[in-house]
Amino acid sequence: MCGNPECTFPAVAVAQALDRVHLRGFYPTPHEPDLPDHMPENVEHYYLQAESILQQHADAAGAMYRKALDVGLKIRFPEIEGLLASRLKKLVNQGLLTEELGDFSHHVRLGGNDAVHDEDPFTVNEAKELGFLTKMVMTYIYTLPEMIRLRQERVDAEKAAAEE
């Protein structure tokens, strides 16, 4: 994460100087978040917060992945009310989430709770796992439906153009 201005870990830049300096490498490579497409702005904000602090503050990252999941589900399914645990059960029971994605979501919920409430420090690997699971759920509820919608728009536009 040493591409982050707040990073306190050492980093090495490899440069070559001939007529001017050319950066040839940077170690470790800065972490570029792999953000699911089409998430609402505030969900993206929470997800990116988690990604940006993952290496230095795994506990906080775990909590932010949970928040991204919670807010993302609230926005996508506003009709499903209650605490996150009960909403997840309803989403699975109504077929809005698969059982596997429900399990992923419960894991993020419980892991995020541990990150906030457990006495033991949350590890970077635990936070990375929550990030991966959050990404899978957000991909399912935001990225894939929007990809399908955009594809259908293209097909409809092509059909309309062919009929003219």
Side-chain angles (χ1 to χ4, degrees):
M1 188 69 100
C2 290
N4 180 337
E6 298 174 8
C7 180
T8 58
F9 296 109
V12 175
V14 179
Q16 178 180 6
L18 294 174
D19 57 340
R20 57 187 169 159
V21 175
H22 297 279
L23 185 62
R24 301 190 44 89
F26 190 86
Y27 305 96
T29 305
H31 175 71
E32 290 293 327
D34 186 13
L35 191 66
D37 292 329
H38 310 296
M39 287 193 300
E41 191 174 313
N42 58 340
V43 178
E44 184 176 309
H45 173 76
Y46 300 132
Y47 189 90
L48 286 173
Q49 275 189 53
E51 290 283 293
S52 70
I53 59 175
L54 181 63
Q55 297 297 324
Q56 295 92 344
H57 305 287
D59 298 287
M64 293 314 296
Y65 284 127
R66 185 196 187 285
K67 186 168 185 173
L69 175 78
D70 189 11
V71 172
L73 291 170
K74 281 180 184 175
I75 292 171
R76 178 67 176 89
F77 305 106
E79 70 281 5
I80 308 294
E81 297 179 345
L83 297 174
L84 182 56
S86 66
R87 284 188 290 128
L88 290 173
K89 287 179 188 172
K90 291 174 190 175
L91 289 167
V92 171
N93 289 339
Q94 293 180 24
L96 298 169
L97 286 182
T98 66
E99 285 190 37
E100 293 81 9
L101 288 171
D103 290 343
F104 284 7
S105 298
H106 276 294
H107 188 77
V108 173
R109 178 183 68 83
L110 294 170
N113 289 349
D114 286 348
V116 171
H117 300 293
D118 199 7
E119 294 174 15
D120 295 325
F122 210 61
T123 69
V124 170
N125 284 338
E126 289 171 316
K128 282 182 181 179
E129 183 177 85
L130 296 189
F132 175 76
L133 296 175
T134 301
K135 178 184 173 191
M136 293 298 102
V137 175
M138 294 299 107
T139 299
Y140 182 80
I141 68 173
Y142 288 111
T143 308
L144 295 175
E146 186 63 8
M147 287 172 64
I148 292 167
R149 187 189 71 72
L150 292 171
R151 169 80 169 96
Q152 189 60 51
E153 273 185 10
R154 284 192 308 275
V155 167
D156 293 346
E158 289 168 5
K159 250 187 215 179
E163 292 174 0
E164 291 180 359

